[in-house]
Every structure is written in C-alpha cells, then in structure tokens.
Amino acid sequence: MLLDLSPLKVSRDYRLLFFGQLVSFFGSMMTFIVVPWQMYQLTGSSAMVGYLSLVEFVPMVGLAFVGGALADFLDKRKMLRFTEIGQTIFTSILLVNSLFPRPQVWILFAAVALHAGLAALQRPAFESFIQKVIPMELMSAVMALNSIRFSAGMIIGPAIAGVIATQLSPSVAYAIDLITFAASLAAVFMIRFVPPPENAERPSFDAVRKAWKYAFSRHELMGTYFIDIAAMFFAFPQALYPALATMYGAQYVGFFPAAIAVGALLASVTSGWTRDVHRHGLMVIIAALLWGVAIVFFGLVNSIWPALVFLAAAGFFDMISGIFRGSIWNQTIPNYLRGRLASIEMMSYLTGPMLGSAKMGIVAEWYGVKTALVSGGVLCIAAVLGAALFLPQFATYDGREGVRQREREEAERGKGQKQRQWQEQEQEQRREE
C-alpha cells in the first residue's frame, strides 16, 4: 500500500512545517557530510571524526530535559523560532571558519556542539506541536511523511555535498545550508498558536522526574528506547564514511548516507501496510535485527555498489523500526507529557548514533574499518536479542491497547483536575463565609 498523504491535507500548520523543514533539511544534510569530511582532511583521524558525535552528545543530554519541560509549558512557536534562529547563526560560524586559510578544529567542535544543544531544545516542541494539530489515527502516516522528508534530504544533500566538498570547497556547502534556513524560518513564523495543555506543569526537576517515572512504567516505551540504542550504538557507521571514501574513491563520500536514505525512502513510500499492523513492538525488534545483518554484509563486501546496496537495506529496516517506534510514542503518550517524553525519545534515538559513531571511529583506528563494521553488526544482533529477552512484554505489545490506555489516562487526569477545581471553589466559599 502506498503513502498516506492525509496529514498534509488536514493541517495547514503541518504542511508549513513539512515543506519548510524539507528545504532546510536538504541544506543541513550537506553540512552533515561536510563537517566530518573537513575534520578528516584536517586531522586524518577517524577517531577525531567520531569525537564530533561525542561533543554533540553532551549538550544534547544536558538540554533535552530542559527542552521537554519547556515544550509542555511554553508557547511552542517561540521555542521553534528561537532554535531555528540559533541554528542559522552557528551555520554562519561554520561558513566563516571554512574561509580561513587554516580552518580551526576547535571551531568545528564548538559549532556542532551548540547546534546539537539547540536541536535538543527544538525537538520536543516540534513533536508535541505535531501531536496537537494531527489526529491520533494519522500518526503512522505522519511518521512516514516525516521519513520521506528525511530521506529526500539525506539522498540529495549528501550526494551533492560530497561532490562540492571534494571538487569545490566546504564553504560552498555551508553557504547553501545557510540559504535553505530561510524556508524553515518562514514556516515557524507562519504557524498558528497552539496553547499548552490545560493546567500544564511548570518546568522543574519534579516535572522531569515524573516524565522519567512514567516512561519506566511502560514496557513498550522502554522497549523502543533500549532496542534502538542497542542497534545504533554497535552498528552505526557514520564515523567511517570519510575513511571508506579513501578506500572506494573520494567522490563516494556522500553516497554512503544517501544509500541509507534511499532504503529509508523505499520503506516510507511503501509504508501504507503499517496501518494494519498492531504488533508494533515485534516489528521494532525484527527491523533492528535486520539492520544489524545488513551492516555485517556492508562490512564484508569489497566493492562499492554491493556495499551501497547493503547500506540501503540497512536504511530500509531502520525506517521500518522508526515508523513503529514513532507510532508507539505519538499514539499512546498523553498530551500533557508529550514534550517531556519527546525529550527522552530524542535521547534514545540520538544516544546510540552519537556514542556509536565515537565507538566505531575508535575501533576502526585500532583494528581497521572492516573489522569495526562486521564486529559492530554482530554485536548489534546480540544486543537487540538481549534487550528483547529482557523486556518480553515488548514483543507482545498491541498498539490498539496503547491507544485505549492513553484515552483512559487523559480521562482520569481530566476528572482529577475537575475535582481539584471543585475543592478549591468550596474552600474559597468557606473562607468568604
């Protein structure tokens, strides 16, 4: 069954964000490729490329909780606008640095770290905003459409960036990225106001603690976190793209992420069948295992085109996992917790790639690129199986029950709020008497 376009038809604000992010993401993916390439050219070290992900991880963890708590309380439009402006500024810094006779490595580290911090603030607001403007039954379609946007940017942006970085200069790629930010800025300044949930909790450590307590009480949520972290930490190959390009040809540096995106795009455009599948947890486990298998074969082959085919297969299975994980999150989490839980989700799906990139770069530095890839894929399979055994209820999770649970929780919260209001009114009347 083909792609469901219903979310684009029912929501003006979602259309604005979708197309604004589509244009902006194209430029961002050029920077995504050029920064590691520039680092590798300056240092000649896969470990240094991996450390880029490590310095992104630190502010992401530190600010994810802040972003989640703010998203449940403040005007989400203001958060989206602030973070988009900030990301534009840091892309400008990368452009200026690339124009120096000798670009500074520390500026690369600082710019990507600050950019990641803003992304940590932005993502919870984005996710909770979407939940407010799109009906719950269309969330699988939203995940597929978002993956289309992601895949299109990952295919076109990196492929062009690889040619630009190797044949022209990183400055050209950064300049294109800077220009494309105009689309996302226009979108976040045109969307309508969406009020926060009634009686929203003020940002505090206690509010964050409640979100973590809620997440740990739900086996299906914990399954999405641990399975994805296990798969990405052991088998995410991003840090090795520059080194692989020296083996296969510098012109292919952008082809590796583009291949993953091609597979993800194929999964997205054929994703209509996912609406009829309710064993979401089982599908996440199967897809994560097949991701690991594909990475093993990617590391075993010695020719560029078979390597790209296996990388595309990995991207296909990763997107299938992402669609079902996103459905679990968006269909079953109560709206009053959506921003804070989105910050936990962001930590789960970025922790694996960021720490995994650093790990992959270090292993490649010591034992070689091929060993890093094959061992990573094997360990991924073992870790996913271990996580699935540790959380047996995840494999049996039914998405329909998750939706019913969300409705019950929101109804109970509504009753509790009314009771508190009545009690406050009674107390006020007694004081007046």
Side-chain angles (χ1 to χ4, degrees):
M1 192 178 296
L2 296 179
L3 186 66
D4 184 357
L5 300 177
S6 300
L8 291 172
K9 298 176 183 177
V10 303
S11 174
R12 166 191 175 272
D13 288 335
Y14 179 72
R15 286 196 302 274
L16 283 172
L17 289 176
F18 178 85
F19 289 109
Q21 291 288 318
L22 178 66
V23 175
S24 177
F25 192 67
F26 161 76
S28 297
M29 286 303 96
M30 297 187 73
T31 296
F32 173 79
I33 290 300
V34 172
V35 169
W37 172 259
Q38 190 177 20
M39 177 66 76
Y40 193 76
Q41 295 304 302
L42 291 172
T43 65
S45 169
S46 292
M48 289 293 284
V49 176
Y51 294 150
L52 282 170
S53 296
L54 199 58
V55 300
E56 289 180 293
F57 177 75
V58 174
M60 185 271 291
V61 171
L63 293 175
F65 304 122
V66 177
L70 291 175
D72 281 336
F73 183 75
L74 298 178
D75 180 353
K76 297 172 181 58
R77 297 178 307 168
K78 292 181 179 179
M79 291 191 65
L80 292 172
R81 292 167 184 174
F82 168 76
T83 52
E84 283 291 329
I85 292 171
Q87 289 174 329
T88 304
I89 292 171
F90 294 127
T91 300
S92 302
I93 292 173
L94 287 171
L95 172 59
V96 172
N97 182 54
S98 69
L99 295 172
F100 292 161
R102 177 70 177 177
Q104 298 297 303
V105 169
W106 72 267
I107 293 181
L108 289 178
F109 279 124
V112 298
L114 293 169
H115 198 285
L118 288 172
L121 291 174
Q122 182 186 79
R123 192 69 187 182
F126 181 85
E127 294 289 348
S128 55
F129 185 89
I130 295 301
Q131 192 192 47
K132 292 288 287 185
V133 299
I134 296 292
M136 287 299 103
E137 63 270 16
L138 295 179
M139 282 304 166
S140 292
V142 167
M143 293 306 300
L145 284 167
N146 287 348
S147 73
I148 289 284
R149 172 177 55 80
F150 174 84
S151 300
M154 282 290 289
I155 293 169
I156 301 172
I160 295 176
V163 175
I164 290 175
T166 57
Q167 304 301 319
L168 298 175
S169 74
S171 304
V172 178
Y174 293 141
I176 294 173
D177 184 15
L178 191 60
I179 293 170
T180 62
F181 265 107
S184 56
L185 285 169
V188 297
F189 275 91
M190 291 174 65
I191 56 178
R192 299 187 184 98
F193 172 70
V194 173
E198 188 177 355
N199 296 322
E201 292 187 62
R202 287 185 172 276
S204 66
F205 286 111
D206 186 59
V208 172
R209 181 189 60 80
K210 288 180 181 178
W212 276 92
K213 182 179 179 180
Y214 179 85
F216 275 90
S217 72
R218 298 265 303 269
H219 281 265
E220 65 272 24
L221 296 182
M222 297 306 297
T224 63
Y225 305 153
F226 285 124
I227 295 291
D228 191 53
I229 290 173
M232 294 295 113
F233 176 76
F234 289 107
F236 194 65
Q238 177 187 326
L240 304 185
Y241 294 158
L244 287 165
T246 64
M247 298 167 56
Y248 291 120
Q251 69 272 23
Y252 295 118
V253 67
F255 281 43
F256 301 113
I260 288 184
V262 168
L265 180 61
L266 180 60
S268 300
V269 298
T270 59
S271 64
W273 60 272
T274 61
R275 288 180 299 180
D276 302 319
V277 177
H278 304 293
R279 294 286 294 277
H280 295 169
L282 180 62
M283 291 304 300
V284 171
I285 293 169
I286 293 172
L289 289 171
L290 292 174
W291 154 272
V293 171
I295 293 298
V296 169
F297 282 100
F298 172 56
L300 288 173
V301 298
N302 293 305
S303 179
I304 182 63
W305 297 113
L308 294 177
V309 168
F310 284 118
L311 209 50
F316 180 93
F317 295 121
D318 182 46
M319 184 50 64
I320 295 299
S321 171
I323 288 173
F324 285 105
R325 282 183 285 117
S327 295
I328 292 173
W329 297 336
N330 287 310
Q331 288 181 344
T332 67
I333 295 172
N335 186 256
Y336 66 92
L337 284 169
R338 190 67 194 93
R340 281 165 285 173
L341 267 294
S343 68
I344 299 175
E345 293 154 17
M346 182 177 64
M347 285 188 61
S348 74
Y349 64 69
L350 291 181
T351 293
M354 287 180 174
L355 296 184
S357 288
K359 185 272 303 178
M360 194 71 84
I362 293 170
V363 173
E365 195 87 355
W366 282 89
Y367 301 105
V369 172
K370 294 291 186 178
T371 300
L373 289 170
V374 175
S375 65
V378 171
L379 289 170
C380 162
I381 295 169
V384 169
L385 288 173
L389 291 173
F390 180 71
L391 295 167
Q393 295 181 30
F394 184 58
T396 60
Y397 168 75
D398 189 307
R400 292 167 294 189
E401 176 54 33
V403 172
R404 289 191 288 268
Q405 179 179 341
R406 174 182 182 270
E407 292 172 348
R408 289 194 298 268
E409 290 176 357
E410 291 189 336
E412 290 173 1
R413 177 178 169 82
K415 291 179 181 178
Q417 289 176 341
K418 288 181 180 179
Q419 289 176 350
R420 285 193 296 272
Q421 289 174 355
W422 291 334
Q423 291 173 353
E424 290 173 359
Q425 290 174 358
E426 290 177 356
Q427 291 174 356
E428 182 66 25
Q429 289 175 354
R430 290 171 183 169
R431 284 195 294 268
E432 290 177 355
E433 292 174 355

